[in-house]
mmCIF file of all heavy atoms in Angstrom:
data_model
loop_
_atom_site.group_PDB
_atom_site.id
_atom_site.type_symbol
_atom_site.label_atom_id
_atom_site.label_comp_id
_atom_site.label_asym_id
_atom_site.label_seq_id
_atom_site.Cartn_x
_atom_site.Cartn_y
_atom_site.Cartn_z
ATOM 1 N N VAL A 194 128.184 151.003 91.332
ATOM 2 C CA VAL A 194 126.749 150.865 91.208
ATOM 3 C C VAL A 194 126.183 152.154 90.639
ATOM 4 O O VAL A 194 126.546 153.238 91.074
ATOM 5 C CB VAL A 194 126.133 150.601 92.601
ATOM 6 C CG1 VAL A 194 124.633 150.465 92.509
ATOM 7 C CG2 VAL A 194 126.763 149.394 93.237
ATOM 8 N N ARG A 195 125.250 152.025 89.683
ATOM 9 C CA ARG A 195 124.605 153.218 89.148
ATOM 10 C C ARG A 195 123.692 153.813 90.213
ATOM 11 O O ARG A 195 122.833 153.142 90.766
ATOM 12 C CB ARG A 195 123.784 152.908 87.889
ATOM 13 C CG ARG A 195 123.122 154.138 87.304
ATOM 14 C CD ARG A 195 122.283 153.794 86.106
ATOM 15 N NE ARG A 195 123.066 153.413 84.966
ATOM 16 C CZ ARG A 195 123.526 154.245 84.048
ATOM 17 N NH1 ARG A 195 123.286 155.538 84.151
ATOM 18 N NH2 ARG A 195 124.249 153.822 83.039
ATOM 19 N N GLU A 196 123.892 155.094 90.507
ATOM 20 C CA GLU A 196 123.125 155.787 91.530
ATOM 21 C C GLU A 196 121.640 155.805 91.154
ATOM 22 O O GLU A 196 121.265 156.128 90.035
ATOM 23 C CB GLU A 196 123.634 157.227 91.640
ATOM 24 C CG GLU A 196 123.150 157.968 92.815
ATOM 25 C CD GLU A 196 123.838 159.321 92.917
ATOM 26 O OE1 GLU A 196 124.998 159.365 93.348
ATOM 27 O OE2 GLU A 196 123.175 160.320 92.551
ATOM 28 N N GLY A 197 120.808 155.386 92.103
ATOM 29 C CA GLY A 197 119.365 155.418 91.890
ATOM 30 C C GLY A 197 118.803 154.203 91.155
ATOM 31 O O GLY A 197 117.592 154.123 90.970
ATOM 32 N N ALA A 198 119.656 153.266 90.756
ATOM 33 C CA ALA A 198 119.153 152.085 90.042
ATOM 34 C C ALA A 198 118.432 151.156 91.003
ATOM 35 O O ALA A 198 118.934 150.829 92.072
ATOM 36 C CB ALA A 198 120.320 151.341 89.374
ATOM 37 N N LEU A 199 117.230 150.723 90.618
ATOM 38 C CA LEU A 199 116.476 149.810 91.479
ATOM 39 C C LEU A 199 117.040 148.389 91.376
ATOM 40 O O LEU A 199 117.063 147.658 92.355
ATOM 41 C CB LEU A 199 115.002 149.829 91.071
ATOM 42 C CG LEU A 199 114.281 151.153 91.276
ATOM 43 C CD1 LEU A 199 112.866 151.081 90.752
ATOM 44 C CD2 LEU A 199 114.314 151.562 92.728
ATOM 45 N N ALA A 200 117.503 148.037 90.187
ATOM 46 C CA ALA A 200 118.144 146.722 89.989
ATOM 47 C C ALA A 200 119.317 146.940 89.059
ATOM 48 O O ALA A 200 119.163 147.578 88.001
ATOM 49 C CB ALA A 200 117.151 145.753 89.396
ATOM 50 N N ASP A 201 120.471 146.450 89.428
ATOM 51 C CA ASP A 201 121.664 146.652 88.613
ATOM 52 C C ASP A 201 122.409 145.333 88.511
ATOM 53 O O ASP A 201 122.981 144.869 89.501
ATOM 54 C CB ASP A 201 122.544 147.736 89.239
ATOM 55 C CG ASP A 201 123.700 148.161 88.349
ATOM 56 O OD1 ASP A 201 123.998 147.452 87.377
ATOM 57 O OD2 ASP A 201 124.297 149.216 88.630
ATOM 58 N N PRO A 202 122.417 144.693 87.338
ATOM 59 C CA PRO A 202 123.060 143.391 87.190
ATOM 60 C C PRO A 202 124.607 143.449 87.336
ATOM 61 O O PRO A 202 125.245 142.422 87.453
ATOM 62 C CB PRO A 202 122.673 142.932 85.794
ATOM 63 C CG PRO A 202 122.366 144.194 85.053
ATOM 64 C CD PRO A 202 121.816 145.152 86.096
ATOM 65 N N THR A 203 125.158 144.650 87.358
ATOM 66 C CA THR A 203 126.609 144.768 87.491
ATOM 67 C C THR A 203 127.044 144.803 88.965
ATOM 68 O O THR A 203 128.248 144.806 89.233
ATOM 69 C CB THR A 203 127.132 146.040 86.798
ATOM 70 O OG1 THR A 203 126.627 147.190 87.465
ATOM 71 C CG2 THR A 203 126.741 146.068 85.329
ATOM 72 N N VAL A 204 126.092 144.798 89.879
ATOM 73 C CA VAL A 204 126.428 144.799 91.308
ATOM 74 C C VAL A 204 126.899 143.402 91.714
ATOM 75 O O VAL A 204 126.189 142.424 91.476
ATOM 76 C CB VAL A 204 125.224 145.205 92.166
ATOM 77 C CG1 VAL A 204 125.550 145.110 93.639
ATOM 78 C CG2 VAL A 204 124.793 146.623 91.814
ATOM 79 N N ALA A 205 128.062 143.318 92.313
ATOM 80 C CA ALA A 205 128.604 142.045 92.750
ATOM 81 C C ALA A 205 127.993 141.656 94.100
ATOM 82 O O ALA A 205 127.807 142.493 94.964
ATOM 83 C CB ALA A 205 130.108 142.134 92.868
ATOM 84 N N SER A 206 127.709 140.401 94.237
ATOM 85 C CA SER A 206 127.189 139.874 95.509
ATOM 86 C C SER A 206 128.344 139.730 96.506
ATOM 87 O O SER A 206 129.523 139.766 96.113
ATOM 88 C CB SER A 206 126.520 138.527 95.304
ATOM 89 O OG SER A 206 127.501 137.554 94.967
ATOM 90 N N ASP A 207 127.999 139.525 97.752
ATOM 91 C CA ASP A 207 129.051 139.261 98.763
ATOM 92 C C ASP A 207 129.865 138.030 98.390
ATOM 93 O O ASP A 207 131.093 138.011 98.553
ATOM 94 C CB ASP A 207 128.424 139.054 100.143
ATOM 95 C CG ASP A 207 127.852 140.355 100.707
ATOM 96 O OD1 ASP A 207 128.213 141.438 100.236
ATOM 97 O OD2 ASP A 207 127.017 140.252 101.638
ATOM 98 N N GLU A 208 129.208 137.018 97.826
ATOM 99 C CA GLU A 208 129.892 135.803 97.400
ATOM 100 C C GLU A 208 130.887 136.097 96.260
ATOM 101 O O GLU A 208 132.002 135.601 96.260
ATOM 102 C CB GLU A 208 128.887 134.751 96.953
ATOM 103 C CG GLU A 208 129.517 133.448 96.535
ATOM 104 C CD GLU A 208 128.475 132.430 96.089
ATOM 105 O OE1 GLU A 208 127.372 132.393 96.685
ATOM 106 O OE2 GLU A 208 128.769 131.685 95.137
ATOM 107 N N ASP A 209 130.436 136.924 95.277
ATOM 108 C CA ASP A 209 131.337 137.300 94.172
ATOM 109 C C ASP A 209 132.574 138.002 94.717
ATOM 110 O O ASP A 209 133.703 137.698 94.323
ATOM 111 C CB ASP A 209 130.622 138.255 93.192
ATOM 112 C CG ASP A 209 129.484 137.615 92.435
ATOM 113 O OD1 ASP A 209 129.560 136.403 92.132
ATOM 114 O OD2 ASP A 209 128.510 138.337 92.155
ATOM 115 N N LEU A 210 132.369 138.955 95.598
ATOM 116 C CA LEU A 210 133.460 139.744 96.134
ATOM 117 C C LEU A 210 134.400 138.880 97.028
ATOM 118 O O LEU A 210 135.602 139.044 97.008
ATOM 119 C CB LEU A 210 132.947 140.946 96.905
ATOM 120 C CG LEU A 210 132.209 141.969 96.064
ATOM 121 C CD1 LEU A 210 131.608 143.043 96.913
ATOM 122 C CD2 LEU A 210 133.093 142.538 94.963
ATOM 123 N N ARG A 211 133.813 137.939 97.740
ATOM 124 C CA ARG A 211 134.633 137.043 98.567
ATOM 125 C C ARG A 211 135.525 136.168 97.671
ATOM 126 O O ARG A 211 136.692 135.950 97.941
ATOM 127 C CB ARG A 211 133.740 136.181 99.451
ATOM 128 C CG ARG A 211 134.477 135.377 100.478
ATOM 129 C CD ARG A 211 133.615 134.666 101.513
ATOM 130 N NE ARG A 211 132.253 134.322 101.101
ATOM 131 C CZ ARG A 211 131.170 135.050 101.401
ATOM 132 N NH1 ARG A 211 131.264 136.180 102.088
ATOM 133 N NH2 ARG A 211 129.968 134.660 101.008
ATOM 134 N N ARG A 212 134.957 135.699 96.537
ATOM 135 C CA ARG A 212 135.737 134.920 95.578
ATOM 136 C C ARG A 212 136.910 135.706 95.024
ATOM 137 O O ARG A 212 138.040 135.233 94.917
ATOM 138 C CB ARG A 212 134.822 134.405 94.476
ATOM 139 C CG ARG A 212 135.474 133.402 93.543
ATOM 140 C CD ARG A 212 134.521 132.842 92.494
ATOM 141 N NE ARG A 212 133.862 133.846 91.688
ATOM 142 C CZ ARG A 212 132.603 134.224 91.803
ATOM 143 N NH1 ARG A 212 131.836 133.705 92.732
ATOM 144 N NH2 ARG A 212 132.088 135.149 91.010
ATOM 145 N N VAL A 213 136.655 137.017 94.718
ATOM 146 C CA VAL A 213 137.705 137.864 94.188
ATOM 147 C C VAL A 213 138.779 138.102 95.239
ATOM 148 O O VAL A 213 139.986 137.976 94.952
ATOM 149 C CB VAL A 213 137.091 139.212 93.714
ATOM 150 C CG1 VAL A 213 138.169 140.240 93.451
ATOM 151 C CG2 VAL A 213 136.233 138.992 92.482
ATOM 152 N N THR A 214 138.390 138.428 96.462
ATOM 153 C CA THR A 214 139.389 138.702 97.498
ATOM 154 C C THR A 214 140.146 137.432 97.895
ATOM 155 O O THR A 214 141.333 137.496 98.188
ATOM 156 C CB THR A 214 138.757 139.377 98.738
ATOM 157 O OG1 THR A 214 137.695 138.543 99.238
ATOM 158 C CG2 THR A 214 138.207 140.745 98.415
ATOM 159 N N ASP A 215 139.463 136.295 97.865
ATOM 160 C CA ASP A 215 140.146 135.018 98.123
ATOM 161 C C ASP A 215 141.185 134.703 97.059
ATOM 162 O O ASP A 215 142.291 134.229 97.374
ATOM 163 C CB ASP A 215 139.151 133.856 98.235
ATOM 164 C CG ASP A 215 138.300 133.915 99.511
ATOM 165 O OD1 ASP A 215 138.621 134.715 100.421
ATOM 166 O OD2 ASP A 215 137.339 133.120 99.594
ATOM 167 N N ALA A 216 140.854 134.976 95.797
ATOM 168 C CA ALA A 216 141.800 134.732 94.714
ATOM 169 C C ALA A 216 143.035 135.632 94.875
ATOM 170 O O ALA A 216 144.186 135.187 94.659
ATOM 171 C CB ALA A 216 141.157 134.971 93.358
ATOM 172 N N ALA A 217 142.825 136.870 95.261
ATOM 173 C CA ALA A 217 143.945 137.786 95.477
ATOM 174 C C ALA A 217 144.780 137.309 96.646
ATOM 175 O O ALA A 217 146.030 137.259 96.550
ATOM 176 C CB ALA A 217 143.429 139.188 95.728
ATOM 177 N N ALA A 218 144.149 136.932 97.733
ATOM 178 C CA ALA A 218 144.875 136.457 98.911
ATOM 179 C C ALA A 218 145.686 135.198 98.594
ATOM 180 O O ALA A 218 146.834 135.062 99.041
ATOM 181 C CB ALA A 218 143.905 136.180 100.068
ATOM 182 N N ALA A 219 145.117 134.304 97.805
ATOM 183 C CA ALA A 219 145.823 133.075 97.402
ATOM 184 C C ALA A 219 147.085 133.385 96.612
ATOM 185 O O ALA A 219 148.053 132.629 96.643
ATOM 186 C CB ALA A 219 144.905 132.158 96.619
ATOM 187 N N ALA A 220 147.069 134.501 95.902
ATOM 188 C CA ALA A 220 148.239 134.912 95.120
ATOM 189 C C ALA A 220 149.187 135.811 95.930
ATOM 190 O O ALA A 220 150.162 136.314 95.415
ATOM 191 C CB ALA A 220 147.787 135.667 93.866
ATOM 192 N N GLY A 221 148.834 136.041 97.190
ATOM 193 C CA GLY A 221 149.658 136.914 98.044
ATOM 194 C C GLY A 221 149.512 138.376 97.762
ATOM 195 O O GLY A 221 150.407 139.188 98.020
ATOM 196 N N VAL A 222 148.354 138.753 97.257
ATOM 197 C CA VAL A 222 148.098 140.162 96.867
ATOM 198 C C VAL A 222 147.106 140.779 97.848
ATOM 199 O O VAL A 222 146.033 140.244 98.087
ATOM 200 C CB VAL A 222 147.516 140.224 95.429
ATOM 201 C CG1 VAL A 222 147.073 141.637 95.083
ATOM 202 C CG2 VAL A 222 148.540 139.712 94.422
#
């Protein structure tokens, strides 16, 4: 995250991050 940014479209939501970690877990990673 860019320090001091009021709005940053590159910030992942909890849902985005859960999807990423679930995909890794499904692959055994």
Side-chain angles (χ1 to χ4, degrees):
V194 180
R195 181 183 289 270
E196 192 174 283
L199 296 176
D201 189 345
T203 65
V204 175
S206 68
D207 290 342
E208 182 180 323
D209 293 327
L210 296 174
R211 189 171 27 262
R212 189 175 56 254
V213 168
T214 56
D215 288 349
V222 172

